[in-house]
Amino acid sequence: RYPQDDVVRWAFGKFDDEQRKRMKVIDLGCGGGRHAHFFARNGFVTHATDRSFEGVVKTKSRLEVDKLEGACVCSELVELPYSEETFDLVLCYGVLCYLERNTLEIVVCEINRILKKGGQAFIMTRSNQDFRAKFSEDIGNNTSLIVAPADTDFPAKAEDGLLHSFLSRHDVEKVFCMF
C-alpha cells in the first residue's frame, strides 16, 4: 500500500517540486501501484507497467480513486512498448530478483534503452548475501529456486518455489556496466 522509504528518500532528496513536474518516470513491475501512486501524487509525469493485467488494473484504479494521472500498460519487461530515451527516471523495485538470469540481463538492457541520457534508474534487487540464498538450490545459469525448509518458520515462505537471481558485487558491475 505505501511506497518504500528508500524510494521516497530518492524522490524527495534528489528532485525539487519544479523538477518533479517536468520529470517523466516509469514504475516497471508496478504490481498494485504503490510507487506509481506515490509518483503521481507528488507531481511526476507517471507511467507504470506490469506483466500482470490485474496489477495494471489495480494501479489504474488507485490512481483514479485519488483523481491522479498516470499511463498504465500491461507489458512484458523484456520488450517494453516505449521508444528509446523516453524516461528521465526508471524505478524497478524488487522485480529483477525474480527473473531467470538471462531474462534479467535483457530487462537491464531494456531499462537502459528507455532511459534518457543523463537519466536515473533506481533498481532494487537481491544480493548473494540475502538470507534467501541460503534456502535456495542452484538450477543453472546463475539462477536459483527458493526451497523453504518445512521444519522451520521460514520468513519468506511465500517465495517458496520461486525463481531468484542473486547478484554478487561482480555480477552487479557486469550486468549494470552500461549505467
Side-chain angles (χ1 to χ4, degrees), residues 17-34:
D17 290 344
E18 286 305 310
Q19 288 173 309
R20 288 195 296 269
K21 290 176 188 171
R22 295 187 311 268
M23 299 189 101
K24 195 171 186 180
V25 62
I26 186 163
D27 181 2
L28 297 179
C30 64
R34 65 186 173 146

Side-chain angles (χ1 to χ4, degrees), residues 90-153:
V90 173
L91 175 72
C92 189
Y93 199 95
V95 175
L96 297 182
C97 54
Y98 294 106
L99 302 176
E100 183 269 332
R101 184 56 163 279
N102 286 341
T103 304
L104 180 150
E105 293 179 11
I106 292 167
V107 173
V108 170
C109 290
E110 278 292 279
I111 291 170
N112 187 56
R113 183 183 69 77
I114 65 169
L115 186 64
K116 290 180 182 177
K117 299 285 186 251
Q120 293 186 28
F122 186 119
I123 300 169
M124 192 291 289
T125 190
R126 294 199 175 123
S127 85
N128 61 351
Q129 300 302 306
D130 188 277
F131 78 93
R132 293 165 190 82
K134 295 178 199 169
F135 301 99
S136 67
E137 291 178 5
D138 182 5
I139 61 170
N141 194 30
N142 296 313
T143 305
S144 299
L145 186 69
I146 301 294
V147 181
D151 59 342
T152 64
D153 191 21

Side-chain angles (χ1 to χ4, degrees), residues 1-3 27 30-38 40-41 54-70 72:
R1 180 174 170 90
Y2 300 105
D27 181 2
C30 64
R34 65 186 173 146
H35 291 118
H37 184 272
F38 164 76
R41 190 178 72 232
E54 292 80 14
V56 171
V57 168
K58 177 70 173 170
T59 300
K60 284 181 182 180
S61 175
R62 285 185 77 177
L63 293 171
E64 289 170 1
V65 163
D66 290 332
K67 297 178 176 50
L68 298 170
E69 292 187 28
C72 304

Side-chain angles (χ1 to χ4, degrees), residues 74-87:
C74 192
S75 170
E76 291 291 334
L77 298 178
V78 295
E79 199 171 328
L80 293 167
Y82 304 102
S83 301
E84 292 181 11
E85 298 188 38
T86 299
F87 297 99

